[in-house]
């Protein structure tokens, strides 16, 4: 196994840079995207080539819901296969990126609205490794996860994200990983390769319009956006990572979209990049 010392150069000097790392929200979709060479995974690879190489990656994944806020702080996080019913080859995947305990402590210290617990038990769930292994296939960039406190609402998470802004100037790529529209109960497998219901398209366009115009409050109060929003977000875990991405947007930064596609009728892969 690669030793931790081989990765120290990435994070031992997390001093301010002359650029600000962009922020991403990535629609991660099916775990199979972690091993498939498809339009989504190809775009993730291309994105990594378009942005500066990060000192580290901090992911807010839809699949780590906790009471309170936690951050992974181990030297080498385990690869978590938190799904069932998929091919054996998906379960065989290991993504051996290092963690960064010092960065975990620094990020936790930046958050003053709540106590952030350093976690040594979790690892990288499929909301993280299925994406990051395509972006950084050599696993040579430290990867951490920040959990989502399930007792708090969207405004809380939006505000908490703003406390992490300084990390962007220190070369840390912050990624929200979920799906804006995520209603598995209404999926239509005849549209699994592309296509959505009318309401899916309607709310996806509404979400994009609000993001493009920096009108975040209706997105925070998504219940006010009508029945389409309630269909899109029957539960909040895949939506809340978007709050972290939007909360980190600077006043002069624009948002652009990629992987903007509906699949399975009731799910969107629509992803957002904020910043240069």
């Amino acid at each position: 196994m690669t030793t931790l010392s081989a990765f120290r150069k990435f994070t031992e000097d997390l001093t301010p840079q002359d650029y600000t790392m962009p922020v991403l929200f990535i629609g991660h979709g099916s775990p199979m995207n972690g091993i498939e060479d498809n339009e989504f995974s190809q775009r993730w690879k291309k994105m990594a080539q378009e942005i500066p190489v990060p000192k580290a990656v901090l992911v807010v994944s839809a699949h780590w819901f906790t009471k309170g806020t936690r951050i992974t702080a181990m030297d080498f996080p385990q690869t978590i296969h938190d799904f069932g019913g998929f091919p054996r080859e998906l379960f065989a995947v290991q993504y051996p990126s290092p963690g960064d305990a010092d960065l975990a402590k620094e990020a936790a210290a930046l958050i003053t609205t709540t106590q952030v617990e350093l976690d040594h038990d979790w690892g990288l769930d499929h909301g993280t490794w299925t994406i990051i292994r395509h972006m950084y296939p050599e696993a040579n960039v430290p990867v951490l996860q920040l959990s989502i406190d399930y007792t708090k609402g969207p405004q809380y998470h939006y505000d908490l994200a703003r406390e992490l802004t300084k990390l962007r100037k220190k070369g840390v790529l912050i990624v929200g990983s979920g799906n804006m529209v995520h209603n598995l109960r209404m999926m239509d497998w005849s549209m699994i390769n592309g296509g959505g219901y009318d309401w899916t398209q309607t709310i996806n366009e509404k979400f994009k319009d609000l993001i493009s115009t920096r009108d975040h409050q209706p997105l925070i109060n998504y219940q006010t956006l009508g029945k389409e929003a309630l269909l899109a977000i029957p539960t909040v875990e895949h939506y809340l990572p978007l709050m972290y991405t939007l909360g980190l947007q600077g006043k002069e930064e624009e948002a652009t979209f990629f992987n903007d596609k509906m699949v399975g009728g009731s799910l969107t892969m629509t992803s957002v990049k904020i910043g240069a």
Side-chain angles (χ1 to χ4, degrees):
M1 178 179 290
T2 306
T3 63
L4 181 63
S5 61
F7 299 103
R8 290 294 187 194
K9 61 183 179 180
F10 287 97
T11 56
E12 63 185 3
D13 186 26
L14 277 172
T15 54
Q17 309 294 312
D18 59 359
Y19 60 86
T20 300
M21 286 296 294
V23 184
L24 304 176
F25 172 79
I26 295 182
H28 64 243
S30 167
M32 289 300 292
N33 291 321
I35 59 174
E36 291 181 348
D37 181 22
N38 58 33
E39 61 185 299
F40 307 124
S41 62
Q42 289 170 10
R43 187 64 185 89
W44 298 338
K45 292 177 184 177
K46 185 178 179 183
M47 179 61 70
Q49 297 167 0
E50 294 172 353
I51 65 177
V53 176
K55 293 285 186 68
V57 180
L58 176 61
V59 181
V60 181
S61 167
H63 295 280
W64 195 20
F65 249 36
T66 58
K67 185 176 183 179
T69 302
R70 305 170 72 92
I71 190 169
T72 55
M74 65 286 289
D75 289 339
F76 287 96
Q78 65 176 322
T79 303
I80 301 173
H81 302 88
D82 51 332
F83 41 72
F86 289 92
R88 183 176 301 177
E89 60 182 317
L90 188 60
F91 290 89
V93 173
Q94 295 294 316
Y95 185 65
S97 70
D100 190 322
D102 290 337
L103 177 58
K105 293 176 183 177
E106 181 174 352
L110 288 174
I111 298 173
T112 60
T113 54
T114 188
Q115 182 176 352
V116 179
E117 184 174 348
L118 301 179
D119 183 276
H120 298 88
D121 298 320
W122 189 245
L124 307 181
D125 59 51
H126 83 268
T128 295
W129 65 260
T130 59
I131 296 168
I132 305 302
R133 73 183 301 257
H134 288 294
M135 296 182 71
Y136 306 106
E138 295 181 3
N140 59 355
V141 176
V143 182
L144 293 77
Q145 279 196 211
L146 183 73
S147 75
I148 299 173
D149 185 346
Y150 63 77
T151 70
K152 306 297 185 181
Q155 183 72 62
Y156 175 88
H157 296 290
Y158 180 91
D159 293 339
L160 188 149
R162 300 181 74 84
E163 299 186 75
L164 297 171
T165 299
K166 289 183 179 179
L167 293 181
R168 298 182 59 195
K169 288 292 291 183
K170 294 189 173 187
V172 178
L173 174 65
I174 302 177
V175 179
S177 175
N179 291 97
M180 290 190 208
V181 179
H182 187 268
N183 190 328
L184 297 184
R185 290 186 177 182
M186 295 186 69
M187 282 190 66
D188 183 341
W189 289 94
S190 70
M191 293 188 280
I192 195 62
N193 293 319
Y197 301 117
D198 289 344
W199 64 262
T200 305
Q201 182 173 359
T202 297
I203 195 61
N204 193 56
E205 292 302 315
K206 183 63 174 179
F207 287 159
K208 289 194 300 177
D209 288 343
L210 292 169
I211 292 170
S212 295
T213 58
R214 296 177 51 85
D215 191 3
H216 294 171
Q217 205 58 48
L219 292 162
I220 293 169
N221 301 317
Y222 68 89
Q223 300 95 331
T224 66
L225 295 177
K227 64 179 182 180
E228 293 88 356
L230 298 179
L231 287 170
I233 311 168
T235 55
V236 297
E237 74 283 345
H238 278 75
Y239 185 75
L240 288 178
L242 177 64
M243 296 298 100
Y244 285 82
T245 302
L246 298 181
L248 285 160
Q249 185 173 15
K251 291 182 179 180
E252 304 300 325
E253 290 183 314
E254 294 184 357
T256 57
F257 302 96
F258 60 101
N259 280 351
D260 185 17
K261 184 174 181 177
M262 299 179 291
V263 295
S266 57
L267 187 146
T268 59
M269 296 295 289
T270 305
S271 303
V272 185
K273 176 188 176 186
I274 289 175

